[in-house]
Amino acid sequence: MKTLFRYFTGCLIAGLVCLTATPSWAISYVGGDVLGYVGQTGAAISKSLTGLAGGSDAAPVDGDLVIVSWCVAGNATPDRALTIKTTGGTDYTLLGSEMFANDGNTTNLRVAYRFMTATPDTTVEVSEAVAAGTGAVTDAGAIHIGVFRSVNATPLEQAVQLNAVLNTMVVDPGSITPTTTGTYIYVVGCGSNSIGAVHTSGDLTDFRSATAADNTDATIGGGYHAWTSGTFSPATYGGGGTDGVSMSHAWLIVALAPAAAVEGFGGSNCGALMLLGVGGC
């Protein structure tokens, strides 16, 4: 059962108008997953959605928001077009734009989301649009998954913040300033270098990171923050492997708005609200 989030101002006229403000549901974290892949071509990569950890459930259910971040490294390669799809071929909805950091070690990062339906997906497929897989047998890739419950059907509380950065694989995310109580913030970053290692974070909850070693290594890391007030500026990632001026990275921050509860409570519904612990009726 969803947890009714926090704020009601009570009744204007008892039994007639029960709420003076629209309530919302509290976002909760369902779980996350992360995995790296050596370079490969020929077919899309299928990743299970049923091995989530760190949250309430091992798999998403109807209405859950699944965010998938797909990163591919390269060695002086052109900009690649990445894809994130259901097993049936439906594209996930892109967050912001796909990023490309064009350095000696290139980084492509695509982040997209999908709300689960009454028959939740059990897998997601990630790929490169031309050669499939990671796009080359020498270039590694990595995926990060974050799943959230009770996110608004219009999920963006603020415009997405993102950047592709040259001359370093050290992920240093920007900042975001939500204004809606109950907002959750999802942060992901990916670096490309020759000797990768997992990232670390000092301020993101359930931070998960993976690296894949190939001629060019890809390392991804992500987590979330339950926002309360002010501007949130995630700390610079630690780890990540050997840095250098030919390395690159990309990052993205998205603020998720809480779902609006069912509107129109009033009259006979006041009794039900009181049973939920909402006073004033």
Side-chain angles (χ1 to χ4, degrees):
M1 179 178 179
K2 293 179 178 178
T3 302
L4 193 61
F5 186 64
R6 305 185 191 177
Y7 298 110
F8 297 88
T9 57
C11 298
L12 291 176
I13 303 174
L16 295 178
V17 181
C18 190
L19 302 176
T20 61
T22 301
S24 60
W25 301 111
I27 295 177
S28 65
Y29 182 63
V30 178
D33 201 357
V34 66
L35 193 62
Y37 301 92
V38 297
Q40 54 193 280
T41 60
I45 296 168
S46 180
K47 177 70 182 77
S48 173
L49 295 175
T50 61
L52 304 177
S56 61
D57 296 280
V61 300
D62 185 13
D64 287 351
L65 178 74
V66 177
I67 300 177
V68 176
S69 300
W70 171 227
C71 174
V72 171
N75 185 1
T77 54
D79 190 4
R80 288 173 162 138
L82 304 184
T83 63
I84 302 173
K85 299 175 180 286
T86 67
T87 302
T90 301
D91 284 303
Y92 275 51
T93 301
L94 181 64
L95 285 168
S97 60
E98 184 175 316
M99 289 161 278
F100 176 57
N102 187 13
D103 212 321
N105 284 59
T106 61
T107 302
N108 276 93
L109 176 62
R110 183 179 185 88
V111 185
Y113 72 89
R114 175 174 168 81
F115 282 102
M116 295 294 98
T117 63
T119 305
D121 300 333
T122 58
T123 59
V124 60
E125 292 191 349
V126 295
S127 194
E128 190 268 345
V130 177
T134 65
V137 296
T138 55
D139 297 338
I143 187 173
H144 184 277
I145 298 169
V147 182
F148 300 87
R149 186 161 295 159
S150 299
V151 176
N152 199 290
T154 304
L156 301 187
E157 199 275 342
Q158 298 283 322
V160 172
Q161 302 298 304
L162 51 81
N163 199 13
V165 183
L166 309 181
N167 302 325
T168 179
M169 46 66 60
V170 178
V171 177
D172 185 13
S175 62
I176 198 165
T177 309
T179 59
T180 304
T181 300
T183 293
Y184 268 44
I185 298 171
Y186 172 79
V187 181
V188 67
C190 181
S192 170
N193 61 359
S194 300
I195 304 175
V198 294
H199 292 300
T200 61
S201 169
D203 58 0
L204 294 174
T205 303
D206 197 45
F207 185 83
R208 295 176 180 272
S209 179
T211 187
D214 212 313
N215 290 15
T216 308
D217 298 357
T219 304
I220 199 167
Y224 75 94
H225 172 73
W227 178 82
T228 54
S229 64
T231 297
F232 179 63
S233 300
T236 301
Y237 285 10
T242 303
D243 199 15
V245 295
S246 63
M247 313 307 174
S248 65
H249 72 273
W251 56 263
L252 179 142
I253 306 174
V254 58
L256 303 174
V262 178
E263 298 184 35
F265 288 111
S268 62
N269 289 319
C270 285
L273 283 171
M274 292 178 72
L275 290 175
L276 288 172
V278 178
C281 289

